[in-house]
Amino acid sequence: MSKSSSIRFSSDRDFYDDSFILNELGEYREQYFQAVSPPIFQTSNFVFKTVESLGKAFEDEYGAHLYSRGLNPTSDILRKKLAALDGAEDCLVFNSGSSAIFASVFGNVESGDHIVSVKYPYTWAQKMFENVLPRFNVTTTYIDGRNFENFENAIRENTRIIYLESPNSWNFAIQDLKAVAKLATEKGIITICDNSYCTPIYQKPIHLGIDMVLQSATKYIGGHSDVVGGVLTGKQAMMKNIFNRELLNMGNGCTPYNAWLLLRGLRTLKVRLAHIAQTTQKVIQYLNGHEKIEKVIFPFDPDFPQYELAKKQMTGACGLFTVVLKARSRQQVVDFCESLQHILMAVSWGGHESLAIPKCASIPSKDFDNNNPEHRMIRFYVGLEDAEYIIKDIEQALDKVKV
Ligand code: PLP
C-alpha cells in the first residue's frame, strides 16, 4: 500500500462524477490482490526501513503512515472519496460527528474570539458553545440565520467563525450559504457548515464558498445504524492544522474498522437517498391535509417558508421532516408515539429503519404547553421500508389520537 503522501487530492476533482467517486476513486486494488473491497488495515503502527524515512514521518505525520491515531490506509480511501464528493481539497474523518464539530471550531479560535452561530444548532455544538468555549474566553452570539441581515448585525471585530447548520434537523431553517460565505470572506471570517441533513449528494456548501463542511457520518453515510463517525472537509492547509493539533492530541480519528464500515455505506449512499426521497414525498403527501396533523415541516414542501432558497441551494431533500400533531395534551402525543408498531422511537437518522421522536421527550411534563406548537412536534425519519408500510403504521397510530 502506498504511503498517504502518494494519495493525491486531485485538483480536477470537480470533474469526477459520483459513480466514479463511489466505486473507484482512492482505491489501489493492485496493492491488495485485486480485491474489490479494500482490506481493513487493522494495525496500530507501520514499519520503516530507514532512519531517514522514519525521521521524515516524524517531521510530517500528515504525509505518512506512522501510527493509526493519525493516518491509516483504510481511512485514506474514505477521506479521498469524501473530499471529492464535497468538492474539497482534503478531508479528515473522526470517531463521531461531534468530534468533527469540536475539532473544526476549537482548532480555529483563540482566547478573546467571538463566534456567530445559528440558533438551535445540533445539541452538542450548542453545549460546546455554552459549556466549553466560555472557559477559554470564547463567546458565541446566536442568531436567526433565516435572515441574512442578522449575520451582518452580529459580526464584531473579534468574530472568528460563523457556524451554520443548513437545514437544521428539527425545523429545517436554512441559511443563504452563498451570501453568508461572501460576507464572511470579505471580513476574513471562517465559515463552517453542518451538512448532515443533505450530505454532499444533495448540497455542496464548498461550491457555494463555505470554508469547512462537516457531517455526522453516523447518519446517511453509515446508513445502517451500526457505526458512529464524522467528516470534515475543506482546504488542505486547514485540515492539516486540525490534524496536527486537535485530531492527534485528542486521538479522535476514525478507527480503520469504522472507516471500512463507512466506506461500505458510502457505496450505496446515492441509491438509498433517492429511494428515501421518493418514499418521503409519499408519506408527506399522506400527512399533508390529514385532519389530525396541524402542519408538516419539510424544506421541499412548496408551503415551506424558505422553499425557494431550499430549491436554489439543495438538489434534494430526504428522509427527515417534522409534524405538529393536533393533540390536546402531552398524553395524546405520547399515545401516538407509543402506538407506532414498526416506526421505532429512537434518536439519530439515516439508517434502514424509520424513526420517530417527539419534542416533548425533552420537555419536563410540568412545562408542556399545548398552545405551543413546538411542544407537539414529532420528527420523523423515513428509512428504506416501502411507503405503504410506513403510512399504514402512522395511520393506525393516528387513529388512536382523539382530537
Ligand atoms: N449534526 C447533526 C445535525 C446531528 O443531528 C448530529 C447527531 O445527531 C451530529 C451533528 C453529531 O453527530 P454524531 O452523533 O455522529 O456525533
Side-chain angles (χ1 to χ4, degrees):
M1 189 73 187
S2 60
K3 293 274 189 257
S4 147
S5 51
S6 65
I7 299 181
R8 281 187 304 107
F9 289 89
S10 173
S11 57
D12 59 358
R13 60 197 171 277
D14 287 349
F15 302 109
Y16 294 153
D17 65 31
D18 293 347
S19 299
F20 176 73
I21 295 169
L22 298 178
N23 290 300
E24 292 161 69
L25 184 74
E27 324 241 1
Y28 293 84
R29 293 188 172 115
E30 69 283 4
Q31 295 184 37
Y32 35 82
F33 305 100
Q34 299 294 358
V36 170
S37 170
I40 304 167
F41 285 92
Q42 191 66 30
T43 182
S44 55
N45 44 0
F46 298 85
V47 175
F48 291 81
K49 285 274 162 67
T50 64
V51 172
E52 193 191 345
S53 59
L54 178 62
K56 274 197 181 137
F58 283 144
E59 219 170 85
D60 180 18
E61 193 170 340
Y62 203 46
H65 294 131
L66 170 72
Y67 188 57
S68 283
R69 173 154 41 79
L71 299 185
N72 173 281
T74 309
S75 43
D76 283 345
I77 301 171
L78 179 66
R79 288 173 52 224
K80 186 149 191 188
K81 288 182 190 295
L82 290 168
L85 279 178
D86 261 349
E89 277 180 19
D90 204 346
C91 169
L92 294 174
V93 283
F94 291 86
N95 61 7
S96 71
S98 285
S99 275
I101 293 172
F102 194 86
S104 66
V105 173
F106 200 76
N108 284 288
V109 286
E110 289 175 6
S111 174
D113 282 347
H114 172 249
I115 295 168
V116 173
S117 167
V118 287
K119 255 205 295 206
Y120 313 124
Y122 170 62
T123 318
W124 288 94
Q126 188 165 342
K127 288 188 190 222
M128 169 189 64
F129 293 136
E130 291 170 13
N131 301 339
V132 180
L133 295 180
R135 286 165 40 213
F136 300 91
N137 192 26
V138 174
T139 55
T140 301
T141 302
Y142 295 113
I143 57 154
D144 182 342
R146 290 174 294 190
N147 182 350
F148 176 71
E149 279 175 18
N150 291 340
F151 288 99
E152 295 177 304
N153 296 336
I155 288 172
R156 301 182 196 157
E157 266 286 272
N158 57 341
T159 303
R160 185 84 185 108
I161 288 175
I162 295 181
Y163 187 86
L164 308 162
E165 184 181 320
S166 189
N168 168 297
S169 65
W170 266 92
N171 65 9
F172 311 103
I174 287 172
Q175 301 94 56
D176 186 332
L177 297 180
K178 199 169 180 180
V180 176
K182 184 168 178 288
L183 172 72
T185 306
E186 283 162 9
K187 306 255 181 203
I189 298 169
I190 293 169
T191 43
I192 302 173
C193 180
D194 184 334
N195 197 32
S196 300
Y197 179 93
C198 281
T199 83
I201 301 297
Y202 287 155
Q203 179 168 266
K204 296 191 189 293
I206 292 214
H207 285 181
L208 301 173
I210 297 296
D211 294 310
M212 275 189 272
V213 179
L214 64 92
Q215 289 172 79
S216 167
T218 316
K219 309 294 187 284
Y220 287 119
I221 293 177
H224 296 77
S225 299
D226 54 10
V227 59
V228 176
V231 183
L232 181 68
T233 60
K235 289 229 155 53
Q236 193 161 44
M238 283 180 162
M239 296 301 106
K240 189 173 178 178
N241 274 339
I242 291 171
F243 174 83
N244 280 324
R245 298 188 314 222
E246 283 69 30
L247 191 146
L248 284 179
N249 259 306
M250 290 192 271
N252 57 358
C254 192
T255 63
Y257 180 60
N258 281 356
W260 187 87
L261 282 174
L262 292 173
L263 258 174
R264 188 170 68 156
L266 196 61
R267 308 269 190 213
T268 55
L269 175 67
K270 211 171 167 179
V271 283
R272 283 186 286 108
L273 289 188
H275 178 82
I276 289 167
Q278 242 184 11
T279 313
T280 304
Q281 288 291 352
K282 288 184 190 162
V283 176
I284 286 177
Q285 218 169 358
Y286 163 77
L287 288 166
N288 256 331
H290 190 288
E291 56 168 356
K292 292 178 185 172
I293 300 295
E294 192 169 299
K295 198 174 173 187
V296 178
I297 308 169
F298 181 64
F300 267 27
D301 185 328
D303 289 337
F304 183 69
Q306 294 182 287
Y307 177 69
E308 293 305 324
L309 179 58
K311 282 281 187 181
K312 193 172 116 191
Q313 64 188 21
M314 295 158 53
T315 52
C318 21
L320 270 194
F321 64 89
T322 295
V323 298
V324 179
L325 195 65
K326 267 189 202 164
R328 278 180 285 121
S329 65
R330 185 179 190 275
Q331 189 56 46
Q332 286 190 325
V333 179
V334 170
D335 287 346
F336 170 78
C337 291
E338 294 182 358
S339 298
L340 292 167
Q341 291 179 357
H342 302 294
I343 299 173
L344 307 174
M345 195 164 20
V347 296
S348 199
W349 80 82
H352 54 91
E353 75 292 5
S354 289
L355 302 170
I357 185 161
K359 192 81 172 176
C360 68
S362 52
I363 301 168
S365 297
K366 66 175 176 42
D367 296 337
F368 184 86
D369 174 7
N370 215 51
N371 293 320
N372 185 344
E374 270 192 28
H375 291 201
R376 289 180 277 116
M377 276 180 171
I378 299 162
R379 189 184 76 185
F380 281 93
Y381 163 66
V382 169
L384 293 172
E385 305 93 331
D386 292 335
E388 297 68 33
Y389 183 79
I390 297 166
I391 290 170
K392 231 171 151 180
D393 197 21
I394 296 176
E395 192 165 40
Q396 63 80 28
L398 281 173
D399 283 346
K400 306 225 165 76
V401 180
K402 303 284 169 249
V403 291

